[in-house]
Amino acid sequence: DDDAEGDISVVTKTKPKTAKPPLYKVLLLNDDYTPMEFVVLVLERFFGLNHAQSVEIMLTVHKKGLAVVGVFAFEIAETKVAQVMDFARRNQHPLQCTMEKE
Ligand code: TYC
């Protein structure tokens, strides 16, 4: 360009992408014996849900057979599953909790 108008340059950056860790769904499974109140307590205690949210998810598991109760990085999901399984076992309930890659 030899006239007075200056070219406008726009800087476009491409962010170097940091690999994001895979996420894991933690699932609660229905059974015929674990008391509803116990499941609600589990959801409140280990998943930080309030009472209303816990009742809602418990009823979803009861009706549908299972539900996702949270999504976490591997280590956190693993810890939640272990905590739930241990708490259920100590209270002699057959409640099952598992995880799967999202
Ligand atoms: N089905 C159980 C009952 O009728 C209640 C229940 C809900 C059990 C959710 C497990 O993950 C569960 N007492």
Side-chain angles (χ1 to χ4, degrees):
D1 282 357
D2 58 4
D3 64 17
E5 297 169 63
D7 290 348
I8 297 169
S9 61
V10 175
V11 176
T12 307
K13 272 192 196 170
T14 53
K15 243 194 211 150
K17 256 287 183 284
T18 302
K20 39 179 180 267
L23 293 173
Y24 292 79
K25 299 183 278 197
V26 171
L27 305 155
L28 209 55
L29 277 55
N30 189 37
D31 67 71
D32 293 338
Y33 306 103
T34 304
M36 290 184 170
E37 319 80 72
F38 184 81
V39 179
V40 170
L41 177 60
V42 162
L43 293 170
E44 290 172 351
R45 181 180 290 198
F46 300 114
F47 296 93
L49 301 171
N50 68 32
H51 192 73
Q53 294 169 326
S54 297
V55 169
E56 192 175 301
I57 292 178
M58 180 280 293
L59 286 173
T60 299
V61 177
H62 177 69
K63 285 188 269 193
K64 311 253 170 155
L66 84 180
V68 175
V69 301
V71 178
F72 308 97
F74 184 84
E75 263 201 66
I76 296 171
E78 237 192 354
T79 302
K80 302 270 182 208
V81 169
Q83 286 173 328
V84 172
M85 294 302 284
D86 180 63
F87 188 54
R89 200 168 197 289
R90 283 190 285 116
N91 287 276
Q92 299 179 288
H93 295 308
L95 182 63
Q96 295 293 308
C97 184
T98 62
M99 61 192 270
E100 67 175 38
K101 199 170 173 186
E102 199 175 52

